[in-house]
Amino acid sequence: MSQPPSQQPPQGGFGAPQEPPNGAPQPPQGRPDPADAPQTPPPPAGPPQTPPPGAPAYGYPQQPPAQQPGYGYPQQPGQAPGPYGQQPGPYGQQPGPYGQQAPGPYGQQAPGPYGQPQTGYGYPQQQYPGAPAPGGPGSGGGFLKGKTGIVIAAALAVVLAAGLGTWFLVSDSGDDDPKKPVATGSNDPKAPSESPTVDEGDGSGDGREAGDDLNAGRKPGEAKVAWLQKNDIDLPRNGSAVQGPWFAGDVVAKAIYRSVSGYSVADGKQKWKLDLPADVCATPNTPTPDGKIVIGVKNGTTDRANCSVLQMVDLNTGKAGWKKEIKKNGTWDFLSDIGLAISGDTVAVGRTGNSNAYRVSDGKELFGTPEGNCKPFAFSGGEKLIAAVSCRTDDVKNPQNQVQELNPATGKPRWTYQPPRGWEVSKVYSSTPLVVRLEHEEKKQYTIVALTESGKLRSQLTPGKSDKLTADCGNSFAIFGEKLEGCSGVAADANTFYIATEDDSSGTARTNKVIAFNLNTGKPKWEAPAPAERVLKPLGMEGGDVLLYMRPKYDTAGAIVTLPPTGGTPKTLLQHPSGAGRVENGFFSSKVLYQGGRSFIFSQRVSASNDKEELEQTTMLVFEK
């Protein structure tokens, strides 16, 4: 399938545009469409604008020089050195974030969106026992999405042999008495009635002294600890990832192991708990506007159980709604793991080569796998239902993907964007405006593109040669079910995309900066350094400003801050209390959200060496003014 010229990225290589020698501008390619002129990014210079005789046309990968992976296509041999060329540095042959290997087929260590694997907001993550190797934040370009036959059979053999499913990471907690925090689920920052895990310097504590009050000695202007909770669930030997959180009215909910629980956002008191017969194995990023969600539950408790049961839950009440098994579409429909996304009243279910969608309110199937050569395999929800689509080709090493916006009620595409061959849809960073990450597995390259409301190429991000951008898309292992949504550490408004750089640890403490990209041109608009020895991560937008989390460090609590859309100096919105700094910094890994004037820090996994430590882990920490 070909795409109109207005949808084509600049010729000469799909990746970060090359800067022309000596700054000489290059003429646009082909015959421009006047209607699309404002949306067409400037063409790169460097590679020949017209393919040489016998060379493949646009859409086929060019042959890069040896050992030159990175962001976008590398320059051809003989080109003048430039920021994306052969000169030493992050875009050249020098090893580093732009030269690391892209995600492999079975969850090998992989780079983040612009570099190295990410950790949580606290100290660097430790690998939990028995877990598969993380797939790398921002990754998700599926190894099997454009491949069939022998590759799928091999992957299936791995699943059957190892019993592996999908690992999702997020949070947990529980409580019985809102007044007295105890080891099985406390929600009061004051002294617990049972001693917390005391920090003895062996890495097993939560940073608290026995009997301490996290609000004691609170300084003027500091927020207070509204409540905290500890794990109250007896988990299997290797612990459990936690999924969510989801907000519905005055409830914040999350799922762990074989249950879903809802808590009061005001005081942390558990409002309901829904026990499930088997492990929660897939969840969407957002519920419906009226607070309903559909989760994936395994159809058994053995290692070979499939993630094939859909269970609707009303997050307002905790009541279970409809439940049904996903229809298997032939022998090659693998349900060992799936991806879920909700848009409006539709939940879409994706896995390699197959998809279904159901109405959240009553469970009615709305549409299934479409006929034809191109089939959706993963979805992103929210305001738009975005599908990643794989088209059958005669070369498994040169796949053809598409991005589509679907009508949530019918599954019919409203538009289709087709990147050049070899580029696979990896993540959706934002649905409105639409910002998508693409990966090229064979070339070990990736890029970020913005699309218009009608699915045309709006721009392609062009970071500076020394900027190593990063987003946190979780650490998940999936063979057949991809999750396009759920990345944090990014934000967007109508015309700007905000993303942080990787931490710079060359000084006395880690620091970074936030870069704003013009979505109409793909070029940086401004950059804002974090305060000295601090690290900033975008969370979203708040009243027109960029909302960010300023991570804590060993002797300083974190904070929620804002930046105006024009850049500048961060302004503190919610300063976390210094008395809680050690707890805030001691999370195994964390996910941070700001909702209704409160900041929520969720543990992304519960795992410990023994039951006592497991039930002492702080899993949720909430601050308010």
Side-chain angles (χ1 to χ4, degrees):
M1 174 179 177
S2 62
Q3 53 182 334
S6 59
Q7 289 183 255
Q8 298 278 6
Q11 283 193 322
F14 188 85
Q18 311 285 344
E19 291 186 8
N22 303 320
Q26 298 296 313
Q29 285 301 302
R31 182 180 302 171
D33 183 346
D36 297 327
Q39 299 169 342
T40 304
Q49 300 298 318
T50 303
Y58 174 80
Y60 290 84
Q62 299 176 347
Q63 292 297 322
Q67 298 181 348
Q68 204 167 353
Y71 181 89
Y73 273 63
Q75 293 180 334
Q76 297 297 313
Q79 286 182 277
Y84 301 94
Q86 298 175 337
Q87 69 181 33
Y91 293 83
Q93 296 176 343
Q94 175 178 316
Y98 284 77
Q100 294 178 349
Q101 183 156 329
Y106 306 114
Q108 295 100 320
Q109 190 77 7
Y114 284 81
Q116 299 169 347
Q118 291 305 295
T119 61
Y121 286 118
Y123 290 113
Q125 291 178 330
Q126 303 173 12
Q127 183 69 16
Y128 48 85
S139 66
F143 178 77
L144 296 170
K145 292 196 282 286
K147 304 167 178 61
T148 55
I150 207 167
V151 176
I152 291 180
L156 177 59
V158 173
V159 174
L160 294 178
L164 294 174
T166 302
W167 290 83
F168 293 93
L169 302 180
V170 192
S171 64
D172 168 67
S173 72
D175 89 284
D176 293 313
D177 183 353
K179 299 178 181 178
K180 296 270 186 183
V182 295
T184 56
S186 60
N187 60 358
D188 192 308
K190 297 184 177 64
S193 56
E194 296 183 22
S195 298
T197 304
V198 179
D199 186 3
E200 297 178 349
D202 59 0
S204 62
D206 63 1
R208 299 183 64 188
E209 300 294 337
D212 65 350
D213 181 351
L214 297 181
N215 284 322
R218 190 158 55 100
K219 300 174 183 177
E222 289 186 337
K224 65 180 180 181
V225 176
W227 48 274
L228 63 81
Q229 289 181 338
K230 295 182 179 181
N231 174 49
D232 65 348
I233 298 176
D234 186 18
L235 299 171
R237 179 179 178 182
N238 290 332
S240 177
V242 193
Q243 301 167 31
W246 308 286
F247 291 89
D250 63 347
V251 173
V252 55
K254 60 190 187 314
I256 181 171
Y257 190 37
R258 297 177 181 176
S259 66
V260 186
S261 302
Y263 307 88
S264 166
V265 296
D267 58 18
K269 182 177 180 179
Q270 188 176 88
K271 304 187 78 169
W272 53 261
K273 181 180 180 183
L274 176 64
D275 291 319
L276 300 166
D279 296 10
V280 177
C281 52
T283 60
N285 195 50
T286 55
T288 62
D290 62 351
K292 294 181 176 63
I293 200 167
V294 177
I295 61 175
V297 181
K298 290 189 175 182
N299 64 355
T301 56
T302 69
D303 289 341
R304 296 191 178 187
N306 281 328
C307 187
S308 60
V309 177
L310 298 180
Q311 174 67 68
M312 190 270 272
V313 181
D314 187 334
L315 298 178
N316 298 286
T317 64
K319 293 182 179 179
W322 56 267
K323 176 181 177 181
K324 64 171 51 181
E325 188 109 5
I326 300 170
K327 292 181 181 178
K328 191 172 182 179
N329 185 26
T331 304
W332 299 105
D333 190 358
F334 302 112
L335 295 168
S336 59
D337 52 77
I338 60 175
L340 299 176
I342 288 178
S343 181
D345 195 26
T346 297
V347 57
V349 186
R351 62 268 187 206
T352 300
N354 289 279
S355 59
N356 303 77
Y358 303 86
R359 197 153 54 203
V360 176
S361 54
D362 59 13
K364 178 184 177 181
E365 185 170 7
L366 297 174
F367 54 90
T369 304
E371 299 293 333
N373 190 51
C374 299
K375 302 180 186 300
F377 62 84
F379 300 92
S380 173
E383 295 182 29
K384 298 176 181 177
L385 182 59
I386 302 298
V389 179
S390 179
C391 300
R392 188 180 299 112
T393 68
D394 57 359
D395 184 357
V396 296
K397 293 184 177 181
N398 192 22
Q400 179 64 73
N401 272 198
Q402 296 175 343
V403 181
Q404 293 180 341
E405 180 185 355
L406 304 184
N407 182 324
T410 66
K412 300 295 183 184
R414 289 174 172 164
W415 50 257
T416 298
Y417 166 73
Q418 182 163 294
R421 287 283 296 272
W423 291 91
E424 299 180 273
V425 183
S426 169
K427 293 292 178 183
V428 173
Y429 286 153
S430 169
S431 60
T432 307
L434 186 54
V435 181
V436 180
R437 171 187 162 106
L438 304 173
E439 293 183 2
H440 196 301
E441 185 172 314
E442 287 295 309
K443 304 301 179 184
K444 317 304 179 193
Q445 300 163 0
Y446 46 88
T447 190
I448 298 174
V449 298
L451 303 180
T452 68
E453 289 292 318
S454 58
K456 296 178 181 180
L457 183 66
R458 183 178 180 183
S459 67
Q460 185 177 340
L461 268 61
T462 57
K465 63 180 180 180
S466 62
D467 292 330
K468 307 164 191 174
L469 310 183
T470 182
D472 183 4
C473 297
N475 296 320
S476 62
F477 177 73
I479 295 178
F480 301 114
E482 298 291 343
K483 189 171 184 178
L484 294 184
E485 61 183 14
C487 296
S488 62
V490 295
D493 58 29
N495 295 303
T496 311
F497 179 69
Y498 308 91
I499 188 168
T501 62
E502 289 184 359
D503 297 359
D504 179 358
S505 56
S506 60
T508 57
R510 293 177 179 270
T511 189
N512 74 337
K513 61 185 177 182
V514 175
I515 301 179
F517 288 89
N518 186 322
L519 287 177
N520 293 319
T521 66
K523 296 180 179 180
K525 295 173 66 174
W526 51 260
E527 56 183 48
E533 301 187 344
R534 303 304 294 271
V535 172
L536 293 175
K537 294 292 181 182
L539 299 179
M541 303 300 296
E542 179 75 12
D545 292 335
V546 189
L547 188 71
L548 307 106
Y549 178 50
M550 186 158 63
R551 294 193 328 210
K553 59 177 189 174
Y554 69 95
D555 60 351
T556 310
I560 303 297
V561 301
T562 61
L563 276 171
T566 53
T569 303
K571 178 182 178 182
T572 301
L573 183 63
L574 194 69
Q575 174 62 56
H576 297 166
S578 54
R582 295 179 69 190
V583 178
E584 181 181 3
N585 204 20
F587 276 83
F588 181 81
S589 63
S590 62
K591 183 172 185 177
V592 181
L593 295 173
Y594 183 78
Q595 179 91 3
R598 298 181 179 92
S599 57
F600 296 79
I601 302 178
F602 298 88
S603 175
Q604 294 190 292
R605 185 172 184 85
V606 176
S607 181
S609 59
N610 59 61
D611 289 344
K612 183 175 184 291
E613 289 181 7
E614 182 180 273
L615 295 175
E616 292 288 352
Q617 285 198 11
T618 301
T619 55
M620 192 182 307
L621 183 61
V622 183
F623 301 98
E624 65 183 7
K625 288 186 177 179

